[in-house]
Amino acid sequence: MLHHVLTGELTFTSLTPPDLSQCSKSDLLAYFENSYSLNESLFTALKDESVFYKCPDRLRLPLIFYYGHTAVVFVNKLALAGLLKGRINFEFEKMFETGVDEMSWDDTENYRMGGSYKWPRVGEVVEYRRKVREVIRDIIRDTPLDLPINMKSPWWALLMGFEHERIHLETSSVLIRQLPIGLVNRPDGWNYAPKQTECLPQTNQMLSVNGQEVTFGKPTDFPSYGWDNEYGHVTCYVPAFEASKFLVTNGDFLDFIRAGGYSRPELWTDEGWHWRSFRESKHPMFWVCNSGCKSGCGTDLAAYSHCSLPEGGVGETATDANYK
Ligand SMILES: [Fe+2]
């Protein structure tokens, strides 16, 4: 297990966000440590250090980028906010600053995905993360706390860093999940979702929602961190629609695929169909069929397929019989 990538504790339990109208420094410190540790804990799932240099998705950078990136964004934002004087490692603070959008047109930084690009060793990035953790602890200790914290407060840059760390929990979880299964381990203390085989999924109902005018937008004095696009107010008319009462199950989605859902553009938005066509998807990314579908991985994993080939050849489309 790659426990040496941890600069704090191994944890898979998240704290709730602090109330910015009445939090203490110890609340903020605990939330920071938890955010930072959760992110590092994900990377203990990688089988060995070589996996940090793999691209699980051809539109994303290697995993080492995501491990270093969140610490670098802390440093760069804290420097901009005037809370940090000087730099910790300026080379890293350029290399790990900007990622790549998961868009087919965003190939501007493909060179960082290539085999000739020299990423630092994992140990160097671990040490960088350790230093950044210490620096942030010092800033939390030394910065006077005036409540409530709002976007004019110097603490806003810290809160942004905490939430940015958490945004990347999702990015990195998905990327790690996209790896060939042989490149990941179950982390210590990780619990698989319980199986409830005796409980059949309930039949999903569609619920009608009447057309109405809605207003959305976050008030500026709401006591939690918000990204800039959450503020302001927009009022618009939403026409009548239906929504399912429960989450869509895999079984429901299998019905959609059996009905030819992945070959009927009229069932998709234009943007969705364009994406499906670009990815050559025949089913959700994490499903496994026996048609040998493309995995969508990059660099040396590009030829890999999560889906296995059937005996006697490859079918044109995934059909009932292809799903195990
Ligand atoms: Fe980011």
Side-chain angles (χ1 to χ4, degrees):
M1 213 49 78
L2 290 183
H3 281 193
H4 62 282
V5 303
L6 300 170
T7 65
E9 66 166 346
L10 177 73
T11 183
F12 294 106
T13 305
S14 176
L15 296 181
T16 51
D19 179 337
L20 302 188
S21 66
Q22 53 179 6
C23 56
S24 64
K25 278 196 180 186
S26 62
D27 295 333
L28 293 162
L29 178 63
Y31 192 65
F32 159 64
E33 301 271 9
N34 179 245
S35 311
Y36 210 76
S37 293
L38 277 170
N39 205 355
E40 292 174 353
S41 297
L42 283 180
F43 289 86
T44 66
L46 304 186
K47 191 162 187 187
D48 59 47
E49 288 194 2
S50 70
V51 184
F52 275 86
Y53 302 94
K54 303 282 186 197
C55 284
D57 191 304
R58 69 188 164 107
L59 299 179
R60 294 287 195 176
L61 294 169
L63 289 163
I64 187 75
F65 170 82
Y66 300 95
Y67 180 73
H69 169 67
T70 54
V72 158
V73 167
F74 259 121
V75 168
N76 290 346
K77 295 300 174 195
L78 293 173
L80 267 178
L83 289 174
L84 177 65
K85 311 289 179 219
R87 290 285 172 179
I88 295 175
N89 179 331
F90 194 47
E91 278 307 302
F92 281 16
E93 284 140 24
K94 289 183 285 181
M95 179 186 291
F96 290 101
E97 162 74 16
T98 310
V100 55
D101 274 324
E102 194 190 9
M103 298 291 177
S104 55
W105 44 260
D106 193 352
D107 58 358
T108 51
E109 300 221 30
N110 276 351
Y111 77 98
R112 282 195 295 178
M113 300 179 196
S116 58
Y117 189 80
K118 289 283 172 256
W119 291 98
R121 286 184 298 106
V122 172
E124 294 175 85
V125 192
V126 174
E127 283 318 300
Y128 180 80
R129 282 194 66 97
R130 194 185 311 282
K131 281 185 196 153
V132 173
R133 189 190 277 264
E134 284 163 10
V135 162
I136 294 169
R137 283 175 179 155
D138 290 347
I139 290 173
I140 291 172
R141 187 194 60 217
D142 297 339
T143 305
L145 177 60
D146 293 317
L147 296 177
I149 298 172
N150 56 34
M151 38 180 100
K152 295 193 180 114
S153 163
W155 286 84
W156 202 247
L158 281 160
L159 267 298
M160 180 190 195
F162 302 165
E163 296 304 336
H164 176 252
E165 194 86 36
R166 285 167 182 269
I167 280 178
H168 277 278
L169 296 178
E170 182 183 3
T171 313
S172 295
S173 301
V174 174
L175 287 173
I176 291 170
R177 177 65 185 79
Q178 283 176 249
L179 283 167
I181 200 74
L183 298 183
V184 292
N185 285 320
R186 173 171 159 167
D188 290 342
W190 181 279
N191 292 321
Y192 291 136
K195 282 185 188 161
Q196 296 184 345
T197 49
E198 287 149 31
C199 174
L200 289 173
Q202 301 182 59
T203 307
N204 215 341
Q205 291 172 262
M206 298 303 282
L207 304 177
S208 297
V209 179
N210 293 331
Q212 59 195 290
E213 212 164 65
V214 297
T215 300
F216 57 97
K218 186 171 179 173
T220 50
D221 60 354
F222 195 87
S224 70
Y225 180 81
W227 301 100
D228 53 1
N229 62 359
E230 294 175 51
Y231 295 99
H233 288 86
V234 174
T235 300
C236 57
Y237 183 78
V238 178
F241 65 96
E242 291 189 332
S244 60
K245 184 171 180 181
F246 304 111
L247 294 175
V248 174
T249 63
N250 284 309
D252 293 333
F253 207 81
L254 181 58
D255 289 342
F256 171 73
I257 294 173
R258 284 174 171 161
Y262 273 67
S263 55
R264 292 171 57 187
E266 73 272 19
L267 299 177
W268 297 67
T269 60
D270 289 346
E271 186 183 11
W273 184 253
H274 184 74
W275 178 252
R276 191 223 65 80
S277 305
F278 172 74
R279 297 297 292 224
E280 300 178 49
S281 305
K282 296 173 186 166
H283 53 75
M285 183 183 286
F286 299 130
W287 286 24
V288 174
C289 78
N290 59 9
S291 290
C293 303
K294 289 188 174 183
S295 66
C297 302
T299 59
D300 62 342
L301 295 177
Y304 177 79
S305 172
H306 295 280
C307 299
S308 55
L309 293 172
E311 300 280 333
V314 184
E316 269 302 296
T317 55
T319 61
D320 278 20
N322 297 131
Y323 290 96
K324 296 167 183 168

